[in-house]
């Protein structure tokens, strides 16, 4: 048995076979071949194999997700079997005597270039499909295993170096028993995703030597990965898994009840979401609205930017789920670790300090305007609020407000209904904004503290760098003081403050944040039931005492020790 320790990223215990996900870049050479007929045969066999794979994927997706989602594989199959595509490849093999891989690459690149040149959204979208099909075909020709997560056809624990948003876009919740990555921190993409999927996860384990099929255990509460556990360990973990599942079932059964402290103080508990499916889950988990809709998901998948209509439809569908409950839509936050595939941006040396979030939007107003109009339209007769990420100065806020006014004026001129008076807030996630909270507060309706980034930027720690990510801890006294200052400044100006970093759903941090006067807690939907259960055991006065004591502590270790101790015992 091998035991590896990483960062506990999502609670719960998973036991099952490993699925090792290590996508290799496709490398091959252009070769001259002697027997074109045999090469064409090889191509035909590969096409047939990929076709079979696509049929299986289509059926599987239809059963597990839905008919609409499965249609993409039908389109891929039609493209793969289109005689024009195959004939052109065969012709090149016959005429030039080159290997099938080189011929497939040439033909698909040619098609991609042609589609790129057509000024039509539909054709631009198809470009991504061609790429996908060509990659599958090349993998088959090269004898490489299928490497997308959609290849997972039986429940397993995914083991990877890291998972990017595009890797996980095709992830099937039912197939992933748990996630474990070699790198990452508690705020990395994998960690956030696993919490929102409610599957146990451990990240930042370091090098993992394992083959697919090996038996593994993941303990998402202590950050352990166990490979080939012995019988005794296995039965201990099976028992723990049962206890955890029972406790969880009880919390979920009470999730729809209000979030009341033991002394009857009602706390606003809302969800962080990133898709339409998340919206449904948020309601099921007892969210009373959304404190953060990450809109990036619409932008990270395709090769083209989503149009105003596409964005509007999705924002509106989500707003319809929440009706009059608040829905805070955050404008695009790409850059940093999230690359936008549809626009070619220069490589940056320090992307987290670069053209990220509002900076990118202000630099590309044409892109920003489309999103602002879509949000404003979706907010009509709904409780939608807008929020700008990464505001670092008053100038930036003013520029963003000018853009918003422009988007309203354009909609007005078009005669389209929109939310003329929607609330506007900003994320406080750059230290300069926290320091200037008293200057910014009068100019907005609310703040939402983004502690994932506030910790990163305050503590000068790259949250995605596995060597230092554990230092980006929002319970560091410097971050706690900033949070306190932000809340005080906002309250002095009569504005409310939320918090949408991962900290809001961390049971260790919740009593402290409540005691600091936080008005709204926004978290992964799956964290809501346990946070509500915790609040029911706590009084407001206790929380305030905890906060006062915490503020006096000089370092992170002392804060963590104090908050982990039995602070919830009744204070005499
Ligand atoms: C944050 O920074 O705390 C936050 C919620 O935003 P994101 O994690 O999307 O950067
Ligand atoms: Mg952030």
């Amino acid at each position: 048995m091998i035991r590896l320790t990483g960062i506990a990223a999502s609670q719960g215990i998973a036991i099952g076979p490993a699925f090792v996900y290590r996508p290799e870049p496709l490398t091959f050479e252009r070769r001259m071949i002697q027997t074109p007929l045999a090469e064409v045969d090889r191509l035909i066999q590969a096409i047939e194999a990929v076709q079979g794979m696509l049929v299986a994927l289509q059926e599987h997706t239809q059963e597990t997700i839905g008919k609409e989602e499965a249609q993409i594989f039908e389109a891929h199959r039609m493209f793969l079997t289109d005689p024009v595509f195959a004939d052109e490849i065969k012709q090149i093999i016959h005429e030039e005597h080159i290997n099938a891989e080189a011929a497939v690459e040439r033909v698909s690149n040619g098609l991609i270039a042609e589609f790129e040149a057509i000024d039509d959204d539909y054709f631009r979208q198809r470009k991504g499909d061609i790429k996908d099909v060509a990659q599958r075909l090349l993998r088959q020709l090269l004898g490489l295993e299928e490497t997308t997560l959609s290849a997972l056809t039986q429940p397993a624990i995914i083991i990877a170096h890291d998972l990017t948003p595009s890797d996980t876009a095709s992830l099937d919740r039912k197939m992933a028993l748990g996630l474990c990555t070699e790198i990452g921190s508690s705020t990395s993409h994998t960690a956030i995703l696993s919490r929102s999927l409610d599957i146990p996860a451990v990240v930042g384990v370091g090098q993992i030597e394992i083959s697919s099929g090996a038996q593994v255990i993941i303990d998402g509460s202590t950050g352990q990965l166990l490979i080939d556990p012995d019988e005794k360990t296995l039965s201990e973990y099976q028992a723990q898994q049962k206890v955890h599942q029972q406790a969880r079932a009880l919390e979920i059964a009470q999730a729809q009840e209000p979030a009341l402290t033991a002394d009857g103080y009602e706390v606003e508990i809302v969800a962080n979401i990133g898709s339409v499916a998340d919206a449904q889950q948020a309601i099921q988990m007892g969210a009373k609205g959304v404190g953060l809709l990450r809109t990036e998901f619409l932008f990270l998948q395709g090769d083209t930017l989503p149009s105003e209509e596409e964005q509007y439809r999705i924002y509106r569908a989500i707003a319809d789920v929440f009706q009059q409950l608040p829905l805070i839509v955050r404008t695009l936050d790409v850059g940093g670790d999230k690359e936008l595939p549809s626009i070619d941006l220069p490589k940056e040396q320090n992307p987290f300090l670069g053209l990220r979030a509002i900076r990118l939007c202000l630099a590309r107003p044409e892109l920003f305007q489309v999103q602002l109009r879509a949000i404003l339209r979706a907010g009509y007769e709904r409780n939608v609020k807008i929020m700008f990420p990464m505001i670092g100065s008053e100038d930036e806020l003013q520029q963003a407000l000018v853009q918003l006014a422009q988007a309203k004026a354009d909609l007005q001129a078009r005669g389209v209904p929109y939310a003329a008076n929607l609330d506007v807030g900003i994320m406080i996630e750059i230290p300069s904004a926290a320091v200037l909270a008293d200057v910014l507060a009068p100019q907005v309706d609310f703040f939402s503290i983004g502690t994932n980034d506030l910790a990163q930027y305050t503590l000068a720690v790259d949250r995605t760098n596995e060597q230092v990510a554990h230092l980006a801890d929002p319970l560091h006294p410097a971050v706690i003081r900033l949070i306190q200052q932000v809340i005080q400044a906002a309250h002095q100006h009569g504005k409310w403050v939320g918090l949408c970093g991962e900290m809001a759903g961390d049971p260790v941090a919740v009593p402290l944040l409540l005691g600091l006067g936080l008005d709204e807690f926004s978290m992964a939907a799956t964290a809501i039931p346990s946070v509500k259960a915790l609040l029911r055991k706590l009084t407001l006065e206790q929380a305030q005492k905890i906060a006062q004591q915490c503020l006096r502590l000089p370092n992170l270790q002392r804060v963590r020790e104090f908050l982990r101790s039995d602070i919830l015992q009744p204070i005499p």
Side-chain angles (χ1 to χ4, degrees):
M1 176 172 85
I2 300 169
R3 186 186 286 264
L4 298 172
T5 304
I7 298 166
S10 176
Q11 302 245 330
I13 288 165
I15 303 172
F19 175 82
V20 181
Y21 179 68
R22 292 196 192 279
E24 295 163 38
L26 290 179
T27 50
F28 58 87
E29 281 173 9
R30 179 177 187 275
R31 281 186 289 114
M32 298 308 288
I33 43 121
Q34 307 295 331
T35 49
L37 273 178
E39 195 64 6
V40 166
D41 238 17
R42 203 164 71 85
L43 173 76
I44 293 171
Q45 280 175 23
I47 290 179
E48 280 170 4
V50 173
Q51 215 191 332
M53 214 182 272
L54 291 171
V55 172
L57 268 174
Q58 191 182 348
E59 285 171 3
H60 175 70
T61 310
Q62 188 159 336
E63 271 165 35
T64 53
I65 308 176
K67 203 168 173 182
E68 218 173 294
E69 287 79 1
Q71 265 166 1
I72 185 74
F73 298 113
E74 166 83 33
H76 284 192
R77 221 151 47 83
M78 279 169 57
F79 173 70
L80 181 73
T81 50
D82 183 338
V84 179
F85 178 64
D87 286 352
E88 209 178 323
I89 302 171
K90 286 180 202 165
Q91 196 183 343
I92 293 176
I93 296 175
H94 278 301
E95 285 176 3
E96 299 184 28
H97 288 210
I98 59 169
N99 53 330
E101 290 86 348
V104 168
E105 189 179 49
R106 167 116 59 91
V107 172
S108 54
N109 282 352
L111 282 169
I112 290 168
E114 266 176 46
F115 278 30
E116 225 156 34
I118 305 174
D119 189 19
D120 180 292
D121 258 6
Y122 176 80
F123 283 101
R124 273 196 297 259
Q125 295 282 0
R126 298 287 73 78
K127 198 179 77 182
D129 296 341
I130 298 175
K131 258 191 202 162
D132 214 343
V133 174
Q135 292 283 313
R136 273 188 211 279
L137 189 53
L138 285 171
R139 281 194 174 283
Q140 185 64 32
L141 285 165
L142 292 165
L144 296 174
E145 273 182 45
E146 186 56 38
T147 52
T148 71
L149 286 174
S150 60
L152 198 56
T153 48
Q154 61 161 4
I157 294 174
I158 296 163
I159 310 271
H161 177 64
D162 192 18
L163 293 171
T164 65
S166 49
D167 287 330
T168 52
S170 57
L171 183 71
D172 178 350
R173 288 171 189 226
K174 293 190 198 85
M175 293 297 151
L177 297 174
L179 299 180
C180 182
T181 58
E182 293 179 332
I183 66 168
S185 67
S186 62
T187 61
S188 61
H189 171 73
T190 309
I192 294 176
L193 177 94
S194 52
R195 283 192 287 270
S196 83
L197 296 181
D198 202 9
I199 48 183
V202 177
V203 298
V205 173
Q207 203 177 343
I208 309 171
E209 306 223 343
I210 187 172
S211 321
S212 286
Q215 167 95 316
V216 290
I217 299 177
I218 281 184
D219 185 342
S221 315
T222 61
Q224 310 269 319
L225 165 69
L226 290 94
I227 303 173
D228 291 329
D230 53 52
E231 278 304 314
K232 186 169 166 276
T233 312
L234 185 62
S235 61
E236 277 168 16
Y237 272 97
Q238 280 166 339
Q240 271 190 46
Q241 188 182 36
K242 214 166 183 182
V243 172
H244 187 273
Q245 285 168 346
Q246 279 167 352
R248 179 82 186 142
L250 189 67
E251 285 171 5
I252 290 179
Q254 296 173 340
Q256 297 302 331
E257 288 167 30
L260 290 178
T261 59
D263 51 345
Y265 175 78
E266 181 152 9
V267 183
E268 173 105 355
I269 302 285
V270 288
N272 290 351
I273 64 170
S275 67
V276 184
D278 282 358
Q280 306 284 359
Q281 190 194 22
I283 295 281
Q284 281 160 15
M285 292 285 166
K288 293 293 172 251
V290 170
L292 168 64
L293 166 59
R294 288 187 168 99
T295 55
E296 293 80 70
F297 75 102
L298 276 170
F299 293 77
L300 295 174
Q301 284 172 9
D303 280 340
T304 48
L305 290 169
S307 65
E308 178 184 321
E309 209 50 39
E310 282 170 291
Q311 292 188 54
Y312 162 72
R313 266 190 268 121
I314 298 209
Y315 302 148
R316 185 71 182 184
I318 296 176
D320 284 346
V321 171
F322 291 96
Q323 292 291 322
Q324 290 314 310
L325 293 174
L327 166 64
I328 300 182
V329 182
R330 177 177 76 180
T331 60
L332 186 62
D333 181 358
V334 286
D337 60 339
K338 293 180 197 145
E339 273 182 42
L340 202 53
S342 42
I343 34 178
D344 224 0
L345 289 167
K347 260 246 146 326
E348 294 176 307
Q349 288 250 339
N350 290 300
F352 274 112
L353 303 181
L355 196 62
R356 188 187 159 191
I358 196 73
R359 298 173 184 173
L360 174 72
C361 289
L362 293 176
R364 302 288 295 258
E366 71 289 356
L367 170 161
F368 197 27
Q369 282 296 309
V370 171
Q371 185 177 41
L372 292 173
R373 289 196 300 267
I375 300 171
L376 285 163
R377 287 174 55 198
Y380 182 67
E381 292 184 341
R382 294 285 178 275
N383 192 357
V384 169
K385 305 176 199 295
I386 201 163
M387 175 159 79
F388 301 123
M390 289 268 294
I391 293 287
S393 67
E394 201 216 16
D395 307 333
E396 264 169 351
L397 172 57
Q398 287 306 326
Q399 287 174 47
L401 292 173
V402 167
Q403 289 290 327
L404 184 63
Q406 174 69 51
K408 285 184 185 176
D410 287 348
L411 289 172
Q412 185 75 27
R414 264 164 55 186
V416 178
Y418 67 96
N421 297 315
L422 91 178
D423 279 357
V424 181
I426 55 172
M427 290 197 62
I428 301 287
E429 52 184 344
I430 297 187
S432 57
V435 170
L436 286 176
D438 62 323
V439 174
L440 301 172
Q443 304 176 44
V444 294
D445 297 300
F446 65 91
F447 286 156
S448 184
I449 307 176
T451 41
N452 305 343
D453 278 313
L454 188 61
Q456 151 164 277
Y457 294 126
T458 304
L459 305 169
V461 174
D462 175 352
R463 67 193 243 201
T464 61
N465 176 340
E466 75 267 28
Q467 301 189 69
V468 293
H470 63 280
L471 299 173
D473 193 322
L475 288 172
H476 188 293
V479 183
I480 298 178
R481 285 187 195 193
L482 284 178
I483 296 172
Q484 182 205 24
Q485 286 169 28
V486 170
I487 295 174
Q488 278 184 348
H491 286 178
Q492 272 161 14
H493 290 277
K495 305 295 161 72
W496 63 266
V497 184
L499 193 149
C500 58
E502 295 306 304
M503 183 187 201
D506 179 357
V508 171
V510 166
L512 162 69
L513 295 172
L514 180 67
L516 288 173
L518 190 70
D519 301 292
E520 176 232 54
F521 292 66
S522 189
M523 62 195 74
T526 53
I528 293 175
S530 45
V531 167
K532 282 191 177 179
L534 168 69
L535 288 167
R536 293 183 189 120
K537 294 187 213 144
L538 178 74
T539 67
L540 187 59
E541 201 189 328
Q542 266 177 322
Q544 284 162 346
K545 282 192 182 148
I546 288 166
Q548 287 317 313
Q549 278 173 275
C550 252
L551 283 166
R552 286 195 287 270
L553 298 172
N555 61 46
L556 174 64
Q557 196 189 343
R558 293 273 299 277
V559 174
R560 282 222 164 256
E561 273 166 18
F562 171 66
L563 290 176
R564 279 221 191 87
S565 64
D566 242 350
I567 49 173
L568 294 189
Q569 290 303 313
I571 296 179

